[in-house]
Amino acid sequence: MGTSMYVFLVDDDQDDRELFEEVIKGIDDSIDLLMFKNALELMEYLNREDISLPQIIFLDLNMPLISGTESLKQIRSNPRFMDISIAIYSTSSLEKDIEETFVNGANIYITKPNDFSILKKTIKNVLNINWQYFGSGMDRKNFFYHV
C-alpha cells in the first residue's frame, strides 16, 4: 500500500476486534489501527482537536449506547469528517440496514464473514479501494460488498 494508513474499528465484540486486528497485521503491519468498544468512545475521540483523522472507519451496527447507524449520522453531520470513508461492518444483511446506512452516507456495507481467509480478502480489498474515484460512482449496486 505504500503510505501508511490510519484505520478505526468500532465493535463491541472483543473476539471480533481481536480477529480484525489479526487480519490487519496480516495485510500490512504499517497500518495504524485504533479500536473502540462502542460508538460513544469513538465520538469522544473524534471530537478531540489534537488527533489525526482516519482514512476509514469500520463500524459495527448493533452496539450498546449508540447504534452504528446513529454514530454514522453523527459523523456525517460534521463537515470536519467529510473525507473519512465509512465501511459498515456487521453480521446483519437485512435490506433495511443496508438501505438505511446507504441513505445516511456510509461508503460500503460488509457482512462479517465467518471464514478468516475471506475476511482477510474482504478487508484487503476494501482498504485498497481508491475512495475518491469509487465515491463518485456510488450506487446501491456497488454499496453492498460481495467477495
Side-chain angles (χ1 to χ4, degrees), residues 78-127:
N78 187 333
R80 184 171 163 234
F81 308 136
M82 204 174 63
D83 294 334
I84 301 174
S85 298
I86 298 178
I88 301 301
Y89 180 62
S90 177
T91 49
S92 165
S93 53
L94 291 174
E95 194 58 52
K96 76 167 188 62
D97 288 336
I98 296 168
E99 181 66 25
E100 192 177 17
T101 53
F102 178 82
V103 170
N104 284 298
N107 296 82
I108 197 161
Y109 193 106
I110 306 158
T111 47
K112 295 177 181 176
N114 295 324
D115 180 279
F116 185 82
S117 62
I118 293 175
L119 178 63
K120 187 171 176 180
K121 187 178 165 189
T122 300
I123 302 300
K124 188 174 186 174
N125 289 347
V126 169
L127 292 178

Side-chain angles (χ1 to χ4, degrees), residues 18 41 65 68-69 75 83 105-108 120 123 135 139 144:
E18 286 169 4
E41 279 186 7
L65 306 172
T69 307
I75 294 166
D83 294 334
N107 296 82
I108 197 161
K120 187 171 176 180
I123 302 300
D139 61 33
F144 185 66

Side-chain angles (χ1 to χ4, degrees), residues 4-8 32-34 36 42 45-57 80-81 84:
S4 77
M5 232 183 152
Y6 196 31
V7 175
F8 287 3
D32 211 347
L33 175 65
L34 200 56
F36 300 88
L42 169 76
Y45 188 83
L46 281 176
N47 286 318
R48 287 169 41 185
E49 292 297 319
D50 60 337
I51 60 149
S52 298
L53 294 175
Q55 279 96 341
I56 186 165
I57 297 174
R80 184 171 163 234
F81 308 136
I84 301 174

